[in-house]
Amino acid sequence: DQQVKQNSPSLSVQEGRISILNCDYTNSMFDYFLWYKKYPAEGPTFLISISSIKDKNEDGRFTVFLNKSAKHLSLHIVPSQPGDSAVYFCAASEGQGAQKLVFGQGTRLTINP
Amino acid sequence: GAVVSQHPSWVICKSGTSVKIECRSLDFQATTMFWYRQFPKKSLMLMATSNEGSKATYEQGVEKDKFLINHASLTLSTLTVTSAHPEDSSFYICSAQGDRAEAFFGQGTRLTVV
């Protein structure tokens, strides 16, 4: 059972435009959510996170939105840059401590010049 | 962000031999480390959780006698793939968590068993 789902395996966006990556989850016990960026043959790099007590968290070009009632979160990147091309994973955990993360399948984002 | 170093970044070994992968947190103390495996074009699959000084907790379906995990200090965890077979070929990634909520990942290790 896939508790965290990223239904779009790939996304192409023009440079300068907004990239929106989506993620859905089924486990209502999840209360902490993270986004990671991954290049081929490298480990994931932490981008941004959000606690369930918030519905938005912003860090520079990256904003994560959380809709608890819909069990949905999204990552907005604006403006998109060529260096943003990578695979993006959303992850969820129960609690913010050293809890195991459950990852989505990933979305490959390609930024076109 | 915090730095997690994983070594080696790639290794080729003969079938039947054992391979050890190291994961070090360089600038923080990692009370918990996680080991993941990633299959091609797939998500990260959690293999086990290790806490410093105690036995690792393995996820369902992961053979603990095949994937030996040791977390002897707050900065080092090792994963040993014993009696490796070609089906063990994969990308293995560790992550470490200290007192911050987010986990930091190593660079990953590409294991090829021939």
Side-chain angles (χ1 to χ4, degrees), chain B residues 3-15:
Chain B
V3 180
V4 176
S5 176
Q6 190 172 336
H7 178 82
S9 56
W10 61 270
V11 58
I12 300 173
C13 71
K14 289 186 177 181
S15 188

Side-chain angles (χ1 to χ4, degrees), chain B:
Chain B
V3 180
V4 176
S5 176
Q6 190 172 336
H7 178 82
S9 56
W10 61 270
V11 58
I12 300 173
C13 71
K14 289 186 177 181
S15 188
T17 61
S18 295
V19 173
K20 180 185 283 188
I21 303 169
E22 291 187 349
C23 181
R24 294 181 184 271
S25 56
L26 298 185
D27 53 0
F28 69 103
Q29 292 186 323
T31 50
T32 306
M33 287 189 173
F34 302 87
W35 287 95
Y36 295 84
R37 182 172 177 177
Q38 185 181 26
F39 295 97
K41 299 183 180 180
K42 297 284 188 182
S43 184
L44 300 169
M45 183 191 79
L46 179 66
M47 297 174 66
T49 303
S50 75
N51 292 293
E52 185 264 337
S54 61
K55 289 184 178 180
T57 302
Y58 290 81
E59 295 299 301
Q60 192 173 11
V62 178
E63 298 176 61
K64 62 180 181 181
D65 294 329
K66 181 166 189 59
F67 298 100
L68 300 178
I69 292 172
N70 183 278
H71 192 163
S73 76
L74 285 172
T75 59
L76 173 65
S77 176
T78 60
L79 167 67
T80 301
V81 183
T82 63
S83 187
H85 291 285
E87 57 265 31
D88 298 325
S89 298
S90 192
F91 192 61
Y92 293 87
I93 310 174
C94 71
S95 74
Q97 278 186 272
D99 54 5
R100 293 176 63 170
E102 58 269 19
F104 295 93
F105 285 80
Q107 308 94 314
T109 298
R110 168 71 60 194
L111 170 63
T112 302
V113 185
V114 297

Side-chain angles (χ1 to χ4, degrees), chain A residues 8-46:
Chain A
S8 298
S10 62
L11 175 68
S12 284
V13 174
Q14 195 168 2
E15 182 179 0
R17 298 286 183 97
I18 183 171
S19 295
I20 300 177
L21 299 118
N22 294 302
C23 179
D24 298 292
Y25 62 97
T26 57
N27 187 344
S28 57
M29 297 300 292
F30 288 146
D31 58 3
Y32 191 64
F33 306 89
L34 309 91
W35 283 94
Y36 285 86
K37 175 181 178 180
K38 186 181 182 300
Y39 294 114
E42 292 185 11
T45 302
F46 170 75

